[in-house]
Short mmCIF file of all heavy atoms in Angstrom, two decimals:
data_model
loop_
_atom_site.label_atom_id
_atom_site.label_comp_id
_atom_site.label_asym_id
_atom_site.label_seq_id
_atom_site.Cartn_x
_atom_site.Cartn_y
_atom_site.Cartn_z
N SER A 1 0.82 -1.20 -0.01
CA SER A 1 0.00 0.00 0.00
C SER A 1 0.86 1.25 -0.01
O SER A 1 1.76 1.42 0.82
CB SER A 1 -0.91 0.01 1.23
OG SER A 1 -1.91 -0.98 1.13
N ASP A 2 0.55 2.13 -0.93
CA ASP A 2 1.17 3.47 -1.00
C ASP A 2 0.15 4.42 -0.37
O ASP A 2 -0.98 4.53 -0.85
CB ASP A 2 1.47 3.85 -2.43
CG ASP A 2 2.49 4.96 -2.54
OD1 ASP A 2 2.71 5.65 -1.53
OD2 ASP A 2 3.05 5.16 -3.63
N THR A 3 0.55 5.10 0.70
CA THR A 3 -0.41 5.81 1.54
C THR A 3 -0.23 7.31 1.44
O THR A 3 0.87 7.83 1.55
CB THR A 3 -0.23 5.37 3.01
OG1 THR A 3 -0.42 3.95 3.11
CG2 THR A 3 -1.24 6.07 3.92
N VAL A 4 -1.34 8.00 1.21
CA VAL A 4 -1.37 9.46 1.26
C VAL A 4 -2.55 9.88 2.11
O VAL A 4 -3.53 9.14 2.27
CB VAL A 4 -1.48 10.07 -0.16
CG1 VAL A 4 -0.22 9.81 -0.96
CG2 VAL A 4 -2.69 9.55 -0.89
N ALA A 5 -2.46 11.10 2.65
CA ALA A 5 -3.52 11.55 3.55
C ALA A 5 -3.52 13.06 3.62
O ALA A 5 -2.54 13.72 3.27
CB ALA A 5 -3.34 10.96 4.95
N PHE A 6 -4.64 13.62 4.08
CA PHE A 6 -4.68 15.03 4.45
C PHE A 6 -5.51 15.15 5.72
O PHE A 6 -6.22 14.21 6.12
CB PHE A 6 -5.25 15.90 3.32
CG PHE A 6 -6.72 15.67 3.01
CD1 PHE A 6 -7.71 16.35 3.69
CD2 PHE A 6 -7.11 14.76 2.03
CE1 PHE A 6 -9.06 16.14 3.41
CE2 PHE A 6 -8.45 14.54 1.74
CZ PHE A 6 -9.42 15.24 2.43
N TRP A 7 -5.43 16.31 6.35
CA TRP A 7 -6.10 16.53 7.64
C TRP A 7 -6.96 17.78 7.59
O TRP A 7 -6.65 18.75 6.88
CB TRP A 7 -5.04 16.72 8.76
CG TRP A 7 -4.25 15.52 9.08
CD1 TRP A 7 -3.18 15.02 8.39
CD2 TRP A 7 -4.43 14.66 10.21
NE1 TRP A 7 -2.71 13.90 9.01
CE2 TRP A 7 -3.44 13.64 10.14
CE3 TRP A 7 -5.33 14.64 11.27
CZ2 TRP A 7 -3.33 12.64 11.08
CZ3 TRP A 7 -5.20 13.64 12.23
CH2 TRP A 7 -4.22 12.65 12.13
N LEU A 8 -8.01 17.73 8.37
CA LEU A 8 -8.80 18.91 8.70
C LEU A 8 -8.64 19.09 10.22
O LEU A 8 -9.04 18.20 10.99
CB LEU A 8 -10.26 18.73 8.34
CG LEU A 8 -10.58 18.58 6.83
CD1 LEU A 8 -12.02 18.15 6.63
CD2 LEU A 8 -10.29 19.85 6.08
N LYS A 9 -8.04 20.21 10.63
CA LYS A 9 -7.72 20.41 12.04
C LYS A 9 -8.41 21.66 12.58
O LYS A 9 -8.40 22.71 11.93
CB LYS A 9 -6.22 20.52 12.23
CG LYS A 9 -5.45 19.25 11.91
CD LYS A 9 -4.01 19.29 12.43
CE LYS A 9 -3.35 17.93 12.28
NZ LYS A 9 -2.02 17.92 12.92
N PRO A 10 -8.99 21.55 13.79
CA PRO A 10 -9.64 22.73 14.36
C PRO A 10 -8.61 23.80 14.73
O PRO A 10 -7.56 23.49 15.29
CB PRO A 10 -10.33 22.17 15.60
CG PRO A 10 -9.57 20.95 15.96
CD PRO A 10 -9.06 20.38 14.67
N VAL A 11 -8.94 25.03 14.39
CA VAL A 11 -8.11 26.18 14.77
C VAL A 11 -9.04 27.19 15.45
O VAL A 11 -9.77 27.92 14.79
CB VAL A 11 -7.41 26.81 13.55
CG1 VAL A 11 -6.57 28.02 13.98
CG2 VAL A 11 -6.55 25.78 12.83
N GLY A 12 -9.02 27.19 16.76
CA GLY A 12 -9.92 28.09 17.49
C GLY A 12 -11.36 27.65 17.45
O GLY A 12 -12.25 28.39 17.89
N PHE A 13 -11.63 26.47 16.94
CA PHE A 13 -12.99 25.94 16.98
C PHE A 13 -13.37 25.65 18.43
O PHE A 13 -14.53 25.78 18.83
CB PHE A 13 -13.08 24.69 16.13
CG PHE A 13 -14.47 24.15 15.91
CD1 PHE A 13 -15.29 24.70 14.95
CD2 PHE A 13 -14.96 23.10 16.67
CE1 PHE A 13 -16.57 24.22 14.73
CE2 PHE A 13 -16.24 22.60 16.48
CZ PHE A 13 -17.05 23.16 15.50
N PHE A 14 -12.37 25.23 19.19
CA PHE A 14 -12.53 24.99 20.64
C PHE A 14 -11.73 26.05 21.39
O PHE A 14 -10.80 26.66 20.86
CB PHE A 14 -12.04 23.60 21.03
CG PHE A 14 -12.71 22.48 20.25
CD1 PHE A 14 -12.06 21.90 19.18
CD2 PHE A 14 -13.95 22.03 20.61
CE1 PHE A 14 -12.65 20.86 18.46
CE2 PHE A 14 -14.56 20.99 19.90
CZ PHE A 14 -13.91 20.40 18.84
N ASP A 15 -12.08 26.25 22.65
CA ASP A 15 -11.36 27.22 23.47
C ASP A 15 -10.05 26.66 24.01
O ASP A 15 -9.17 27.41 24.42
CB ASP A 15 -12.23 27.66 24.66
CG ASP A 15 -13.41 28.51 24.23
OD1 ASP A 15 -13.48 28.85 23.02
OD2 ASP A 15 -14.27 28.81 25.08
N ARG A 16 -9.93 25.34 24.02
CA ARG A 16 -8.73 24.67 24.55
C ARG A 16 -8.73 23.25 24.01
O ARG A 16 -9.62 22.89 23.22
CB ARG A 16 -8.73 24.69 26.08
CG ARG A 16 -9.93 23.97 26.70
CD ARG A 16 -10.03 24.21 28.19
NE ARG A 16 -10.10 25.62 28.53
CZ ARG A 16 -11.24 26.35 28.46
NH1 ARG A 16 -12.38 25.77 28.10
NH2 ARG A 16 -11.25 27.61 28.78
N ASN A 17 -7.76 22.48 24.42
CA ASN A 17 -7.66 21.09 24.01
C ASN A 17 -8.97 20.37 24.36
O ASN A 17 -9.29 20.20 25.54
CB ASN A 17 -6.48 20.43 24.72
CG ASN A 17 -6.32 18.96 24.35
OD1 ASN A 17 -7.17 18.37 23.68
ND2 ASN A 17 -5.23 18.36 24.78
N PRO A 18 -9.77 19.95 23.36
CA PRO A 18 -11.05 19.32 23.69
C PRO A 18 -10.93 17.92 24.22
O PRO A 18 -11.94 17.33 24.64
CB PRO A 18 -11.78 19.33 22.33
CG PRO A 18 -10.68 19.27 21.33
CD PRO A 18 -9.54 20.06 21.91
N SER A 19 -9.70 17.37 24.25
CA SER A 19 -9.54 16.00 24.73
C SER A 19 -9.06 15.95 26.18
O SER A 19 -8.60 14.90 26.65
CB SER A 19 -8.57 15.23 23.83
OG SER A 19 -7.26 15.79 23.89
N LEU A 20 -9.15 17.05 26.91
CA LEU A 20 -8.79 17.04 28.32
C LEU A 20 -9.66 16.07 29.11
O LEU A 20 -9.24 15.55 30.16
CB LEU A 20 -8.93 18.45 28.92
CG LEU A 20 -7.88 19.48 28.52
CD1 LEU A 20 -8.22 20.82 29.14
CD2 LEU A 20 -6.49 19.04 28.89
N ASP A 21 -10.88 15.83 28.64
CA ASP A 21 -11.80 14.97 29.39
C ASP A 21 -11.65 13.49 29.04
O ASP A 21 -12.44 12.66 29.52
CB ASP A 21 -13.23 15.42 29.18
CG ASP A 21 -13.65 15.38 27.71
OD1 ASP A 21 -12.76 15.19 26.82
OD2 ASP A 21 -14.85 15.56 27.41
N VAL A 22 -10.69 13.14 28.20
CA VAL A 22 -10.46 11.71 27.89
C VAL A 22 -9.97 11.01 29.15
O VAL A 22 -9.05 11.48 29.82
CB VAL A 22 -9.46 11.55 26.73
CG1 VAL A 22 -9.06 10.08 26.57
CG2 VAL A 22 -10.06 12.08 25.44
N ALA A 23 -10.60 9.90 29.48
CA ALA A 23 -10.25 9.17 30.70
C ALA A 23 -8.87 8.56 30.60
O ALA A 23 -8.42 8.17 29.51
CB ALA A 23 -11.30 8.08 30.95
N PRO A 24 -8.17 8.45 31.74
CA PRO A 24 -6.87 7.78 31.71
C PRO A 24 -7.02 6.30 31.39
O PRO A 24 -8.08 5.70 31.56
CB PRO A 24 -6.34 7.99 33.13
CG PRO A 24 -7.55 8.22 33.96
CD PRO A 24 -8.53 8.93 33.08
N SER A 25 -5.93 5.72 30.91
CA SER A 25 -5.94 4.30 30.59
C SER A 25 -6.02 3.47 31.86
O SER A 25 -5.84 3.97 32.97
CB SER A 25 -4.68 3.95 29.80
OG SER A 25 -4.63 4.68 28.59
N MET A 26 -6.29 2.18 31.69
CA MET A 26 -6.60 1.33 32.84
C MET A 26 -5.41 0.96 33.68
O MET A 26 -5.54 0.69 34.86
CB MET A 26 -7.32 0.08 32.34
CG MET A 26 -8.62 0.39 31.63
SD MET A 26 -9.35 -1.09 30.95
CE MET A 26 -10.63 -0.37 29.91
N SER A 27 -4.23 0.91 33.10
CA SER A 27 -3.05 0.52 33.86
C SER A 27 -2.66 1.67 34.77
O SER A 27 -2.55 2.81 34.37
CB SER A 27 -1.89 0.20 32.91
OG SER A 27 -2.21 -0.91 32.11
N THR A 28 -2.40 1.37 36.05
CA THR A 28 -2.17 2.41 37.05
C THR A 28 -0.91 3.22 36.77
O THR A 28 -0.84 4.39 37.11
CB THR A 28 -2.07 1.79 38.45
OG1 THR A 28 -1.03 0.80 38.45
CG2 THR A 28 -3.40 1.14 38.84
N HIS A 29 0.08 2.61 36.13
CA HIS A 29 1.31 3.35 35.90
C HIS A 29 1.13 4.47 34.86
O HIS A 29 1.97 5.34 34.74
CB HIS A 29 2.43 2.42 35.45
CG HIS A 29 2.18 1.76 34.12
ND1 HIS A 29 1.51 0.58 33.98
CD2 HIS A 29 2.52 2.15 32.85
CE1 HIS A 29 1.46 0.25 32.70
NE2 HIS A 29 2.04 1.18 31.99
N CYS A 30 0.00 4.45 34.12
CA CYS A 30 -0.22 5.49 33.13
C CYS A 30 -0.70 6.79 33.75
O CYS A 30 -0.59 7.84 33.15
CB CYS A 30 -1.25 5.03 32.10
SG CYS A 30 -0.62 3.75 30.99
N ALA A 31 -1.27 6.74 34.95
CA ALA A 31 -1.80 7.96 35.58
C ALA A 31 -1.65 7.83 37.09
O ALA A 31 -2.64 7.68 37.80
CB ALA A 31 -3.25 8.18 35.19
N PRO A 32 -0.42 7.88 37.62
CA PRO A 32 -0.21 7.63 39.05
C PRO A 32 -0.83 8.68 39.95
O PRO A 32 -1.03 8.42 41.13
CB PRO A 32 1.33 7.62 39.17
CG PRO A 32 1.81 8.41 38.01
CD PRO A 32 0.85 8.12 36.91
N GLY A 33 -1.14 9.82 39.43
CA GLY A 33 -1.72 10.85 40.26
C GLY A 33 -3.19 10.63 40.55
O GLY A 33 -3.78 11.38 41.33
N HIS A 34 -3.80 9.63 39.95
CA HIS A 34 -5.23 9.40 40.13
C HIS A 34 -5.47 8.35 41.22
O HIS A 34 -4.61 7.52 41.51
CB HIS A 34 -5.87 8.96 38.80
CG HIS A 34 -5.93 10.05 37.80
ND1 HIS A 34 -7.00 10.85 37.62
CD2 HIS A 34 -4.96 10.52 36.95
CE1 HIS A 34 -6.76 11.73 36.66
NE2 HIS A 34 -5.51 11.55 36.25
N ASP A 35 -6.65 8.38 41.77
CA ASP A 35 -7.02 7.47 42.84
C ASP A 35 -6.93 6.02 42.35
O ASP A 35 -7.45 5.68 41.28
CB ASP A 35 -8.43 7.80 43.32
CG ASP A 35 -8.88 6.84 44.41
OD1 ASP A 35 -8.12 6.67 45.39
OD2 ASP A 35 -9.98 6.28 44.28
N GLN A 36 -6.27 5.18 43.16
CA GLN A 36 -6.08 3.79 42.76
C GLN A 36 -7.40 3.08 42.47
O GLN A 36 -7.50 2.30 41.53
CB GLN A 36 -5.34 3.04 43.89
CG GLN A 36 -5.24 1.53 43.70
CD GLN A 36 -4.38 1.14 42.51
OE1 GLN A 36 -3.43 1.81 42.19
NE2 GLN A 36 -4.77 0.07 41.82
N ALA A 37 -8.43 3.41 43.23
CA ALA A 37 -9.70 2.71 43.06
C ALA A 37 -10.27 2.91 41.67
O ALA A 37 -10.96 2.06 41.15
CB ALA A 37 -10.71 3.19 44.12
N SER A 38 -9.97 4.07 41.08
CA SER A 38 -10.53 4.34 39.75
C SER A 38 -9.89 3.48 38.70
O SER A 38 -10.34 3.47 37.56
CB SER A 38 -10.36 5.81 39.39
OG SER A 38 -8.98 6.12 39.21
N HIS A 39 -8.79 2.79 39.07
CA HIS A 39 -8.09 1.97 38.07
C HIS A 39 -8.18 0.48 38.36
O HIS A 39 -7.56 -0.32 37.69
CB HIS A 39 -6.61 2.38 38.02
CG HIS A 39 -6.42 3.83 37.68
ND1 HIS A 39 -6.74 4.36 36.48
CD2 HIS A 39 -5.97 4.85 38.44
CE1 HIS A 39 -6.49 5.66 36.49
NE2 HIS A 39 -6.01 5.99 37.66
N ASP A 40 -8.95 0.12 39.40
CA ASP A 40 -9.09 -1.31 39.71
C ASP A 40 -10.11 -1.92 38.76
O ASP A 40 -11.28 -1.60 38.79
CB ASP A 40 -9.55 -1.51 41.15
CG ASP A 40 -8.42 -1.23 42.12
OD1 ASP A 40 -7.24 -1.29 41.69
OD2 ASP A 40 -8.72 -0.96 43.30
#
């Protein structure tokens, strides 16, 4: 496969990074600052 691509990217469409609310991954070492119970 010969791959080409283009992007459409928001510029000021949002006030800030809209992915701040993405949940941390399940492994505890990925987000040690979070409560352990949330990763059990």
Side-chain angles (χ1 to χ4, degrees):
S1 290
D2 199 342
T3 302
V4 293
F6 67 88
W7 292 79
L8 297 170
K9 294 193 172 188
V11 179
F13 189 82
F14 304 100
D15 291 353
R16 60 190 57 82
N17 180 351
S19 64
L20 288 177
D21 60 350
V22 171
S25 299
M26 299 175 191
S27 297
T28 56
H29 65 271
C30 288
H34 290 264
D35 179 51
Q36 172 66 34
S38 67
H39 302 293
D40 286 339

